[in-house]
Amino acid sequence: MLSWIAEHQKSLSVIASFSSVLIWLVYAQLLYLGFRRQRSPRLIINRGRNKDINALCLISNMSAESVFIQYIIAELHTSQGVITMDVTDFEQEYNQGDEDPEKRTHRSGSSSGVMEVTENTRQGPVKPGGFSHIGTFSELVQRLARDEGIEMDGHMPKGDLEFNHIKLRLIGIYGPENKPIGAERGFDLAYNANQFALSPTSWDTKQLVSLRQRHKLHKIVENLNATNFSSSSSFRRVEENGS
C-alpha cells in the first residue's frame, strides 16, 4: 500500500489539491448564496383580519434592512376594462391653515411644529420585520370606483359591470441601493352567497428585484415623478374592451 502511494504520489497530490479547491468553491458558493439571501429585499402583500373584501391589506417587510415605500399602485380589473390609480396618499386634502404651526398638533395632543405625516400618506419606511396596512380592500375598490364615477350598491357596482380582480404593486427603495425594488400580488373578487369573497391568485408575493425589473421600475418612477401629480386622479387609466 505504501509503495503504491509512493508510486502515485504526484497523481494523488493533484487529486487532493483539486478536491480542496472544489470544496472551497462549494463552501464559497454556499456563503455567497446565504449572504445574497440575507441581503435580498422581500416585501409581502397579504390580507388580514378577514378573508373577504373587508380584509385589511397588509404590507410586511421581511428584508434585513428597512424599505422605504415610495409608491403603491392599485389596479382594478373589471368586465369593461382596467382602472389604475396611485393610492399612496390618502383621499383627504390638505386643508388651508395647516401650515400654521399653532394649528398643528400631534395625535397625542401635545403641541409641535411638525404635522403628522402618517395622517396624509402611506409613503415611508417599513422596518425589518415590521408591517403596516393601507386600509381594507373594500375601501380600495370603492376609491377606484368612485374616482372613475362608477355607481356602487354597497360593495357591488350597479348595472352589468363586474369587478373581477384587484392587484397591488409596491415600489420602494431598499437600504443604500440606487435602483428601486418592487413587489406585487393579485386577488380575485367573487360574489358568492351575498358575500364578496377575496382570494389571492398566488401563494406568495411576486418580488420585482431582478436587474431588468428594477431598471423597468426606475423608468416607471421617473415617469411618475415627471408628472408631478398631487391627486389620485392624476394617475388613472381606463382601457375599454376591444380597444
Side-chain angles (χ1 to χ4, degrees):
M1 183 66 179
L2 294 177
S3 61
W4 184 86
I5 294 176
E7 183 180 352
H8 299 85
Q9 180 179 3
K10 292 184 178 180
S11 299
L12 293 174
S13 178
V14 172
I15 294 174
S17 298
F18 179 77
S19 300
S20 298
V21 172
L22 183 62
I23 291 172
W24 278 109
L25 287 176
V26 173
Y27 183 67
Q29 180 71 7
L30 292 175
L31 288 177
Y32 170 74
L33 291 176
F35 175 78
R36 189 179 68 174
R37 180 180 179 184
Q38 183 181 11
R39 295 289 301 172
S40 296
R42 183 170 177 80
L43 294 171
I44 305 296
I45 304 172
N46 205 359
R47 58 185 179 177
R49 191 176 66 181
N50 293 307
K51 294 185 181 296
D52 57 12
I53 198 171
N54 293 311
L56 290 172
C57 183
L58 301 177
I59 297 175
S60 304
N61 178 22
M62 304 305 296
S63 312
E65 296 187 25
S66 297
V67 175
F68 184 90
I69 302 298
Q70 193 170 6
Y71 287 103
I72 304 175
I73 308 300
E75 292 182 0
L76 180 61
H77 295 244
T78 75
S79 58
Q80 297 182 12
V82 180
I83 306 169
T84 306
M85 184 191 300
D86 174 16
V87 295
T88 311
D89 296 329
F90 293 102
E91 286 187 283
Q92 61 260 35
E93 298 179 352
Y94 188 85
N95 296 322
Q96 187 176 5
D98 285 341
E99 68 280 0
D100 188 350
E102 296 181 359
K103 296 183 180 181
R104 295 181 305 203
T105 59
H106 270 170
R107 289 182 179 180
S108 61
S110 59
S111 298
S112 68
V114 181
M115 187 177 181
E116 188 68 43
V117 177
T118 55
E119 294 180 355
N120 297 283
T121 183
R122 301 178 177 101
Q123 183 179 168
V126 181
K127 296 181 179 180
F131 72 94
S132 62
H133 73 81
I134 60 174
T136 66
F137 284 90
S138 174
E139 292 170 344
L140 290 173
V141 169
Q142 293 188 28
R143 177 175 178 180
L144 271 73
R146 183 167 51 250
D147 187 75
E148 187 55 28
I150 298 174
E151 295 186 15
M152 300 287 291
D153 182 10
H155 300 313
M156 301 289 296
K158 293 183 178 180
D160 297 331
L161 181 65
E162 296 180 357
F163 294 158
N164 303 320
H165 181 83
I166 184 170
K167 178 187 289 187
L168 277 301
R169 181 180 295 113
L170 308 176
I171 303 177
I173 302 297
Y174 178 60
E177 299 186 14
N178 295 325
K179 291 189 180 298
I181 64 167
E184 64 181 24
R185 194 178 190 187
F187 297 83
D188 286 334
L189 302 169
Y191 190 71
N192 296 318
N194 297 324
Q195 184 178 1
F196 222 149
L198 180 79
S199 57
T201 57
S202 60
W203 72 272
D204 196 10
T205 304
K206 180 181 179 181
Q207 307 297 316
L208 307 176
V209 295
S210 68
L211 292 178
R212 182 181 62 83
Q213 291 169 332
R214 297 178 72 173
H215 180 72
K216 184 177 180 180
L217 288 174
H218 182 69
K219 293 295 184 181
I220 293 176
V221 171
E222 285 184 339
N223 292 334
L224 290 173
N225 292 337
T227 60
N228 195 28
F229 60 86
S230 60
S231 64
S232 62
S233 60
S234 297
F235 183 74
R236 183 188 62 189
R237 182 188 57 182
V238 178
E239 299 175 354
E240 298 295 339
N241 289 340
S243 61

